[in-house]
Amino acid sequence: MKTFKLQCEILSPLHIGTGKEIEPLDYIITGERLYRLSFERFVTDMTESERLAFEGILDKGNLLETRKYVEEHINVERNTLYSTEVSPQIRSLYHTKKGDIQNQLLINPFIRTEGAYVPIVPGSSIKGAIRTAVISKLASSSGLPKPKDFREENEFESAVLGYKDGKDDPFRGIKTRDKILENDSTIIREIRNVSKKNGRLQSNDMQIICEVSHSSLTGKTVAFETEVSFDDALFSIHFLSKTLTKELIIESCTNFYKDKMEKEHEKFYKNSEVEKYSKQLLSTTLDNNSFLVRVGRFSGVESVTLDNYRNPKPPGNKTVWGTTRNLAESRYPMGWIRVTVNE
């Protein structure tokens, strides 16, 4: 097993979610932080009289009264699972709307470890980004016709990699480790969907509130180290359909993701208020052992599909894909990471 260290720097806000949202009753925001509540701990800490009073409020079914009671009686040191920083915009929005019964300040949390509730970057996310770039490179010289539908897309991927079933998929031969992020690596921010109209970026109605990483672009660098391992035994006996190498990964990712960053700049950010942040990303230095990947939600369809073989199905009645971007606080592109490979 040949193992390489991956030194990773999060260049722009990253959101890797759980697929679930937390509702206003599941958290409180006080000071500059969000506290994720544990009702089990909250109730366990109550005296008998407090428990009876709380049960009486719950019986009324009044959410506002319940929220108020929790906020006034919660011990944030003992009765919460974790806390994270909150942007000024979201703090203001929360305090403006917390007295509104229609308040739907749903928050998309960052994926965390079980039990410890620490934010984590899954190795599968990085491996998935690498896989897309490698398959795109191999597809470009395959001469295979563009798939017509979802079924053919799966068959196309296996044809490019040359495997018949998952047992000989070459990506079985590489493994990437999950990595826990350090404390205070995340913050709650607003994500805005924008499109370019008449040469200007305009915010659409869609607003999402997410827990995202800090990043170099937003002024607080988050770096982490993980590993990628190559199973030399599987590759050497040709059990897998192709041999994957460090050099193939670096070349594929460099070509694929640098191209996406440049084209996104030209199509969306040039001559806009986002231009300076996009130029900062474009100025990222890469050497022979480093490359870009784009990871997590809001990566953009171009970064998760194959060059020359894209066949996405836009939602609703749209017939064109890739016409909008999702930006943290309407100005920061999402999901960029610089990876440096070391022995």
Side-chain angles (χ1 to χ4, degrees):
M1 188 77 74
K2 179 66 173 178
T3 299
F4 298 93
K5 293 180 180 179
L6 302 181
Q7 303 287 344
C8 303
E9 178 186 353
I10 300 179
L11 300 175
S12 69
L14 169 67
H15 174 71
I16 302 176
T18 63
K20 298 180 180 179
E21 297 170 312
I22 56 175
E23 301 181 357
L25 196 57
D26 296 325
Y27 67 87
I28 63 169
I29 294 176
T30 181
E32 298 182 351
R33 302 190 71 82
L34 174 146
Y35 294 88
R36 178 74 184 272
L37 306 182
S38 168
F39 274 93
E40 180 180 358
R41 297 177 188 177
F42 181 51
V43 173
T44 300
D45 266 4
M46 289 179 177
T47 64
E48 183 176 354
S49 61
E50 288 172 337
R51 187 175 297 111
L52 289 173
F54 187 54
E55 289 174 353
I57 292 172
L58 292 176
D59 288 341
K60 295 178 185 178
N62 187 318
L63 291 179
L64 289 182
E65 192 174 348
T66 302
R67 289 177 195 164
K68 183 178 179 181
Y69 184 91
V70 171
E71 188 167 356
E72 290 176 350
H73 292 82
I74 195 81
N75 183 322
V76 295
E77 299 297 327
R78 291 173 52 83
N79 306 150
T80 56
L81 301 173
Y82 62 85
S83 71
T84 188
E85 188 179 347
V86 181
S87 73
Q89 293 89 337
I90 300 303
R91 294 202 304 268
S92 176
L93 189 63
Y94 173 81
H95 291 297
T96 299
K97 290 194 171 185
K98 70 178 182 179
D100 181 359
I101 194 61
Q102 300 300 320
N103 171 11
Q104 287 296 310
L105 288 181
L106 303 175
I107 294 177
N108 295 266
F110 206 95
I111 187 170
R112 291 174 177 264
T113 57
E114 294 185 11
Y117 297 101
V118 180
I120 185 172
V121 176
S124 58
S125 294
I126 295 175
K127 182 176 176 179
I130 291 172
R131 183 185 180 95
T132 298
V134 169
I135 294 176
S136 187
K137 175 178 173 56
L138 296 176
S140 65
S141 58
S142 69
L144 293 170
K146 183 176 180 178
K148 297 177 181 178
D149 53 35
F150 181 75
R151 179 183 62 82
E152 287 193 7
E153 287 174 7
N154 289 335
E155 294 176 353
F156 176 80
E157 183 174 307
S158 62
V160 170
L161 291 175
Y163 66 84
K164 295 180 180 179
D165 57 46
K167 293 181 181 179
D168 56 343
D169 182 341
F171 277 89
R172 281 192 60 211
I174 68 170
K175 301 184 185 303
T176 49
R177 292 183 56 187
D178 297 346
K179 182 60 183 181
I180 290 174
L181 297 180
E182 295 181 358
N183 290 334
D184 286 330
S185 292
T186 63
I187 182 172
I188 309 297
R189 293 192 190 273
E190 176 190 66
I191 309 297
R192 280 286 183 180
N193 182 258
V194 302
S195 57
K196 200 163 191 179
K197 300 176 182 177
N198 300 319
R200 294 181 57 84
L201 284 181
Q202 297 183 26
S203 179
N204 301 317
D205 292 336
M206 188 172 77
Q207 176 202 49
I208 304 173
I209 301 173
C210 291
E211 181 183 7
V212 303
S213 70
H214 287 290
S215 66
S216 302
L217 201 63
T218 54
K220 183 177 178 180
T221 299
V222 176
F224 62 92
E225 180 182 286
T226 185
E227 294 178 349
V228 59
S229 298
F230 295 79
D231 194 327
D232 295 336
L234 283 179
F235 288 127
S236 64
I237 63 174
H238 303 294
F239 178 78
L240 303 176
S241 60
K242 289 186 183 297
T243 298
L244 301 179
T245 64
K246 176 190 74 169
E247 291 74 20
L248 175 63
I249 287 174
I250 292 174
E251 181 184 1
S252 300
C253 289
T254 298
N255 294 338
F256 184 80
Y257 290 106
K258 186 67 172 178
D259 174 71
K260 304 303 166 291
M261 185 183 283
E262 291 171 349
K263 287 182 177 177
E264 187 170 292
H265 175 82
E266 288 295 322
K267 183 176 180 179
F268 289 98
Y269 307 140
K270 190 175 181 179
N271 300 321
S272 78
E273 59 271 32
V274 182
E275 181 174 36
K276 68 176 181 179
Y277 303 109
S278 182
K279 281 186 174 180
Q280 186 175 332
L281 289 173
L282 287 170
S283 68
T284 301
T285 57
L286 300 173
D287 59 29
N288 292 335
N289 289 310
S290 59
F291 58 90
L292 297 170
V293 290
R294 202 170 198 184
V295 173
R297 190 177 177 187
F298 312 119
S299 292
V301 67
E302 298 88 348
S303 295
V304 297
T305 53
L306 310 182
D307 286 342
N308 304 318
Y309 290 95
R310 296 190 184 97
N311 194 28
K313 302 296 186 294
N317 296 320
K318 294 180 182 178
T319 58
V320 179
W321 52 266
T323 59
T324 66
R325 298 292 95 164
N326 290 287
L327 303 174
E329 297 185 351
S330 300
R331 59 183 182 273
Y332 302 120
M334 298 286 293
W336 289 105
I337 298 177
R338 174 172 56 189
V339 181
T340 301
V341 184
N342 294 316
E343 296 285 345

